[in-house]
Amino acid sequence: MTSDSAVVLEIREAHKSYGTRAALNGAAFSLRKGEWLALLGPNGAGKTTLVRTIAGRLQLDRGEIALHGQTLSPQDQAARRQLGIVPQELALYPNLTARENLDIFGRFHGVGGQELKDKINWALDWIALADRANERIKGFSGGMKRRLNIAAAVLHQPSVIMLDEPTVGVDPQSRERIWQMLNQLRAEGASLVLTTHQLDEAQTICDRIVIIDGGRTIAAGTLEELITQTIGPQRGVFCKVRDAQGAVEEEHHAVDDLSEALPSLLSTLKTQNKQLLDLRIQAPTLQAVFLHLTGKELRE
Ligand code: ATP
């Protein structure tokens, strides 16, 4: 039985070492039906290793991957047809056309005949490349290749999609187009795991966030939950003021309730004979949560 909260992908106690270096050291997460999950972590945290083990390209030393409740063995490519994996590096044939690339990936994922033709036409429209369908893709821009790379991975309409940094090196317009494409898949019921270094995007796009560091999961929850568990819901209030002697300074206050705190702050400034030059209010951000939990800034 499926319900909105049904778990479609579950990773338990994932361990993987390269020689003596542990890349995964107990990482775990679950993805629910229709959910968008951001998988975040500093450089070297183990994200790509995790995506590669789920894709079946790498075998876990220990731990379990379950797709729709069934444990996946490393070699089980048939069960993995329900997965669409968009790797970080482009996996396309440069000397083939866009249509030929989609044809190859569709066949690889078990689609054929008229169904494949229909899906290729749908995909070309979807990625706004129908007018370039018969061109060799080596002449495409980076953003066009990224869009094709995503289409190639989801042409077979998988129920679970994993994207490893889908918008790296992509111009803002193509980036916007990629998010529109992914939103369409979401509207059609796909569940999605996104690894990204774009915390602002993760914050606005994803329902839940999993943070891994040193190969293990260190936090998981909605942004609100993570904020409550870490930095708390206080707003930062930054006031630039000029005092009676003409000196300019910036004051910082942390407040629980803006509607209570702001009027009293303003009246205090007045009593102190300070002129308010600028006022900035900062809600807690995923960036601040991430820094609190890992002690690191997230960089590309
Ligand atoms: P980034 O954010 O930089 O992409 P990541 O979270 O994806 O990092 P991984 O690429 O999974 O991290 O790497 C996890 C750890 O495993 C790192 O210490 C890395 O050096 C190591 N590692 C990854 N791939 C290999 C490999 N093929 N051989 C040896 N060590 C590896």
Side-chain angles (χ1 to χ4, degrees):
M1 202 182 81
T2 49
S3 72
D4 280 349
S5 61
V7 170
V8 292
L9 177 68
E10 184 158 21
I11 315 301
R12 300 182 205 109
E13 282 290 315
H15 287 81
K16 174 74 196 172
S17 293
Y18 296 101
T20 53
R21 174 175 293 132
L24 296 176
N25 195 11
F29 71 83
S30 54
L31 173 71
R32 300 175 193 146
K33 186 167 167 25
E35 180 175 60
W36 275 35
L37 191 77
L39 188 60
L40 309 177
N43 290 137
K47 304 176 296 290
T48 298
T49 303
L50 198 51
V51 173
R52 295 182 71 204
T53 58
I54 295 166
R57 289 168 55 201
L58 203 63
Q59 193 165 344
L60 285 179
D61 298 335
R62 191 148 63 81
E64 225 171 46
I65 301 166
L67 184 61
H68 297 295
Q70 300 212 312
T71 303
L72 280 185
S73 71
Q75 300 81 12
D76 192 349
Q77 286 308 329
R80 283 186 168 82
R81 289 214 174 125
Q82 297 176 70
L83 285 174
I85 311 260
V86 183
Q88 204 175 93
E89 54 311 336
L90 292 171
L92 296 167
Y93 298 96
N95 283 319
L96 298 184
T97 66
R99 187 181 293 280
E100 287 165 344
N101 266 284
L102 290 173
D103 188 82
I104 287 183
F105 281 94
R107 285 174 202 281
F108 174 74
H109 288 116
V111 190
Q114 189 58 41
E115 190 193 0
L116 179 56
K117 287 200 180 99
D118 293 345
K119 287 209 160 127
I120 290 174
N121 287 330
W122 164 82
L124 287 165
D125 277 338
W126 187 59
I127 57 179
L129 286 177
D131 57 337
R132 313 281 298 258
N134 300 317
E135 268 178 50
R136 286 185 192 201
I137 66 148
K138 63 180 172 194
F140 282 10
S141 72
M144 289 159 72
K145 286 186 205 160
R146 281 266 158 209
R147 268 141 57 195
L148 186 63
N149 202 44
I150 295 174
V154 304
L155 188 73
H156 60 298
Q157 288 182 304
S159 54
V160 175
I161 300 168
M162 303 204 62
L163 298 119
D164 198 359
E165 295 279 353
T167 56
V168 161
V170 171
D171 66 88
Q173 208 181 344
S174 284
R175 182 173 288 212
E176 191 51 40
R177 178 80 199 142
I178 287 172
W179 292 127
Q180 282 172 12
M181 287 164 53
L182 296 176
N183 261 320
Q184 199 177 330
L185 295 175
R186 176 188 224 174
E188 287 161 11
S191 317
L192 202 140
V193 180
L194 172 72
T195 78
T196 182
H197 284 96
Q198 311 283 333
L199 289 181
D200 49 340
E201 285 184 342
Q203 175 168 347
T204 35
I205 290 165
C206 293
D207 306 305
R208 268 191 328 124
I209 294 151
V210 170
I211 300 181
I212 67 171
D213 196 8
R216 59 165 67 95
T217 304
I218 58 165
T222 63
L223 179 62
E224 288 307 311
E225 287 166 352
L226 295 185
I227 286 170
T228 308
Q229 288 161 23
T230 56
I231 53 178
Q234 288 189 327
R235 263 62 184 158
V237 177
F238 300 84
C239 308
K240 195 168 164 189
V241 295
R242 184 187 288 130
D243 67 17
Q245 285 72 44
V248 173
E249 61 177 32
E250 186 160 81
E251 295 179 1
H252 172 224
H253 307 267
V255 308
D256 290 316
D257 183 341
L258 278 177
S259 54
E260 287 266 326
L262 274 188
S264 79
L265 186 66
L266 293 176
S267 76
T268 309
L269 290 180
K270 201 163 193 141
T271 336
Q272 295 170 338
N273 209 9
K274 287 178 177 169
Q275 183 190 4
L276 182 63
L277 301 175
D278 203 358
L279 176 71
R280 191 164 56 83
I281 295 166
Q282 175 75 64
T285 60
L286 182 53
Q287 187 85 40
V289 169
F290 189 88
L291 185 61
H292 179 97
L293 284 166
T294 65
K296 296 166 200 144
E297 299 274 359
L298 196 49
R299 285 183 233 283
E300 285 192 35

